[in-house]
Amino acid sequence: MGEPAGMGERPGAVMGDPAEETAGAETVEPEPAEELAHAEVLELFQAALARLVQDPLLCDLPPQVTAEEIGSQVALEYGQAMTVRVCKADGETVPVVVVQNASVLELKKALRRHFQLRQARQGGVQHLSWKYIWRTYHLTYAGEKLADDRKKLREYGIRNRDEVSFIKKLRK
């Protein structure tokens, strides 16, 4: 009686595995793929993102959109994220997207990322000292300071489209 199927083959090999079929044969080199410079790949990627932004779901995004922003917008649509509107002292309201169970620290990081992207798109000041900003300002919601970075936004009662204020700290 012969060996059961698969016994004489290499361990872990799959029936019809190309590596198994060519084990005794000459190795065939794959054809070289077309090589593109980094700038060309980046240009193709940006063009593909620009086509994505034409979708009605993503039409609110800026032309120089990042993959992170697209991911956030899709998460918003599926209810996996929420928009927190951060009101600055000058009256400007900044929409920031965070996951549903985000902590205060994650909101601060998202706010930082929002301003970094905005500065990169508009030019101007290239570096902000966020250490200084968080020493000088704090976030509040309904009059309560968001003091504990580990605490979830839900624990403060913050829901989708709620407003959080960016307030200057008073000296002691």
Side-chain angles (χ1 to χ4, degrees):
M1 208 164 152
E3 291 181 332
M7 289 299 286
E9 299 172 9
R10 174 171 54 91
V14 178
M15 288 285 266
D17 185 3
E20 183 67 31
E21 292 173 5
T22 61
E26 296 178 27
T27 30
V28 178
E29 291 293 321
E31 291 184 30
E34 181 182 342
E35 292 186 27
L36 297 174
H38 176 74
E40 293 171 326
V41 172
L42 192 58
E43 187 177 315
L44 287 171
F45 181 72
Q46 287 296 334
L49 284 179
R51 285 192 304 274
L52 273 176
V53 174
Q54 294 172 355
D55 184 281
L57 170 66
L58 305 172
C59 65
D60 294 339
L61 296 174
Q64 293 296 323
V65 69
T66 64
E68 177 185 0
E69 290 172 308
I70 290 176
S72 294
Q73 197 70 20
V74 170
L76 256 178
E77 188 66 24
Y78 284 107
Q80 299 167 344
M82 65 179 172
T83 302
V84 177
R85 297 186 312 211
V86 180
C87 300
K88 292 175 31 184
D90 64 2
E92 179 186 3
T93 301
V94 178
V96 180
V97 178
V98 291
V99 293
Q100 286 287 348
N101 62 343
S103 65
V104 173
L105 182 61
E106 289 168 326
L107 174 61
K108 287 179 176 180
K109 286 180 180 179
L111 189 62
R112 177 181 185 171
R113 182 74 176 135
H114 174 85
F115 281 107
Q116 286 172 337
L117 285 171
R118 189 166 84 177
Q119 286 174 324
R121 289 181 180 126
Q122 295 176 352
V125 180
Q126 291 300 313
H127 177 73
L128 288 175
S129 172
W130 286 92
K131 191 174 185 178
Y132 169 79
I133 289 172
W134 296 125
R135 269 196 332 252
T136 311
Y137 296 88
H138 59 259
L139 296 171
T140 61
Y141 175 72
E144 182 180 1
K145 290 181 187 176
L146 307 183
D148 186 359
D149 283 348
R150 295 173 307 230
K151 202 169 178 182
K152 301 287 182 193
L153 297 176
R154 285 184 188 192
E155 294 175 42
Y156 286 107
I158 298 172
R159 303 280 181 246
N160 192 24
R161 296 190 189 101
D162 281 350
E163 288 191 0
V164 172
S165 299
F166 200 48
I167 309 255
K168 189 165 185 151
K169 292 180 180 179
L170 298 175
R171 289 189 177 173
K172 294 179 182 179

